[in-house]
Amino acid sequence: MSTNKKRKIEEENRGFRSEWTDTYAFVQNTMGQLKCLICDENFKNDKKSNIESHFLSKHDSFGKTYPAENKRKTAMAELIRKSQQSTSKFNNWLQSASNLTAASFVVSHEIMKSGKPLIVGEYIKKCFTGMSEHLFSEFKNKTKIINKIKDIPLSAITVRDRAVRMSENITEQQFSNLKSSPVFSLACDESCAVKNIRATHFNGTVCFVYGCS
């Protein structure tokens, strides 16, 4: 009988490699996760086959558009710049809010990224409060810390409102980037379904967006 055990991910000594940025458009975020610069999707482990499969299946057209080394490096530099700019704006936005509101936005952001239901906000707070009883047992201000955690607004309605605010912030950043771009292109497709037509505003102009049926 074989006694070989399957190794855990943390035992495989994986690590992010800098060449993955130019090759697969991935960087390592502040949480240690791999982040796709093209679609912002995060990966929890540093496994090359996962990010390679993601790039080839979802961003093959990007690789064909920027195949040459210099063109690819230029495109990567622009994606990194926009990613850093977006992160900076989001952090500045949080810093302008109160500590409890900022904490609420951070948790709501993680809930949205993981695709979890809105009601898990209260569950997360309950878990954090329970853990704090042990984590901060030797702290003189333990009661104050726990009360702060209990005061974080994380109801389903609050998490929904935070998601709307963050979505609006992203839209504002997109419009800002479009306005600052010297040129941009539009990809259009034909649709016979009238229900797929919606109106939107850009720089004071009403535009009609046609979706695919």
Side-chain angles (χ1 to χ4, degrees), residues 13-42:
N13 297 318
R14 293 177 183 165
F16 175 74
R17 298 181 181 179
S18 58
E19 60 263 27
W20 291 352
T21 299
D22 288 339
T23 307
Y24 305 117
F26 269 84
V27 294
Q28 192 171 35
N29 62 23
T30 55
M31 302 295 291
Q33 298 177 333
L34 296 186
K35 173 186 175 182
C36 177
L37 290 169
I38 302 174
C39 66
D40 287 336
E41 186 171 340
N42 292 327

Side-chain angles (χ1 to χ4, degrees), residues 32-83:
Q33 298 177 333
L34 296 186
K35 173 186 175 182
C36 177
L37 290 169
I38 302 174
C39 66
D40 287 336
E41 186 171 340
N42 292 327
F43 285 75
K44 293 183 178 180
N45 58 73
D46 301 342
K47 193 172 182 180
K48 179 182 176 181
S49 58
N50 287 347
I51 63 174
E52 182 179 25
S53 175
H54 171 86
F55 181 79
L56 294 176
S57 61
K58 294 188 176 183
H59 308 304
D60 184 56
S61 59
F62 181 89
K64 292 178 179 178
T65 304
Y66 304 101
E69 183 176 348
N70 291 337
K71 289 185 177 180
R72 178 68 65 87
K73 286 183 178 296
T74 301
M76 288 300 109
E78 180 63 16
L79 287 174
I80 292 174
R81 184 191 67 79
K82 290 184 177 181
S83 177

Side-chain angles (χ1 to χ4, degrees), residues 156-208:
I157 294 177
T158 299
V159 173
R160 182 202 62 190
D161 291 341
R162 301 290 187 252
V164 172
R165 288 285 303 279
M166 288 185 283
S167 176
E168 291 173 345
N169 179 259
I170 291 173
T171 301
E172 290 174 2
Q173 292 182 44
Q174 290 175 330
F175 280 149
S176 177
N177 288 336
L178 284 172
K179 290 178 181 179
S180 62
S181 299
V183 295
F184 59 88
S185 61
L186 294 175
C188 302
D189 195 5
E190 182 181 4
S191 174
C192 299
V194 178
K195 65 180 181 179
N196 284 343
I197 301 176
R198 61 184 177 86
T200 187
H201 294 265
F202 175 68
N203 201 19
T205 303
V206 178
C207 306
F208 291 94

